[in-house]
Amino acid sequence: CSPVYLGGSFSPHGIGTNTSKRTCDQLRCTACDFRVSLFNDYIWDQSCDYLFFRNNMPELSKLRAKMIKKKGARAYACQCSWRSIDGLTDLQTDQQLRWVCGKH
């Protein structure tokens, strides 16, 4: 994917390009070397913190404690960072995330 896009659940996913703006569903974090999970129609509760994800990824049963249902949104997380996204967003606009697109 180039550029790499994040997006809400209404955004199509697959291999993204400048002309085909699709969200990447094969993200990997270069900081914690963990696959980035995504959850359609959810956002993360504001009380989420680093230790919550470090201790609970990738167990969905534990993550649900801090997931809030929101139609059209998508919650992303690895073991060290997380985001709630509504609309199509270029990953380069968020310099704190160290996520890259894996192979499709």
Side-chain angles (χ1 to χ4, degrees):
C1 301
S2 181
V4 178
Y5 291 103
L6 305 178
S9 64
F10 295 133
S11 300
H13 56 83
I15 299 173
T17 65
N18 283 323
T19 55
S20 176
K21 295 181 178 182
R22 298 178 176 277
T23 61
C24 183
D25 58 353
Q26 300 293 319
L27 294 168
R28 185 159 216 53
C29 179
T30 60
C32 65
D33 196 32
F34 207 80
R35 187 169 189 270
V36 178
S37 297
L38 51 101
F39 306 96
N40 288 328
D41 298 320
Y42 285 97
I43 60 172
W44 297 115
D45 185 85
Q46 288 185 343
S47 67
C48 288
D49 60 13
Y50 171 82
L51 284 177
F52 172 75
F53 290 102
R54 189 75 185 166
N55 292 328
N56 297 305
M57 280 301 287
E59 295 182 47
L60 181 58
S61 60
K62 292 181 178 182
L63 294 172
R64 284 193 190 271
K66 297 206 180 213
M67 294 171 81
I68 300 167
K69 197 114 174 102
K70 184 178 180 189
K71 188 93 172 142
R74 188 176 284 148
Y76 291 84
C78 60
Q79 275 195 336
C80 68
S81 51
W82 61 97
R83 289 294 180 277
S84 298
I85 305 286
D86 287 322
L88 195 66
T89 306
D90 187 333
L91 183 59
Q92 288 183 343
T93 63
D94 191 334
Q95 296 298 315
Q96 293 178 332
L97 292 176
R98 294 183 54 197
W99 296 346
V100 296
C101 187
K103 294 184 180 183
H104 277 269

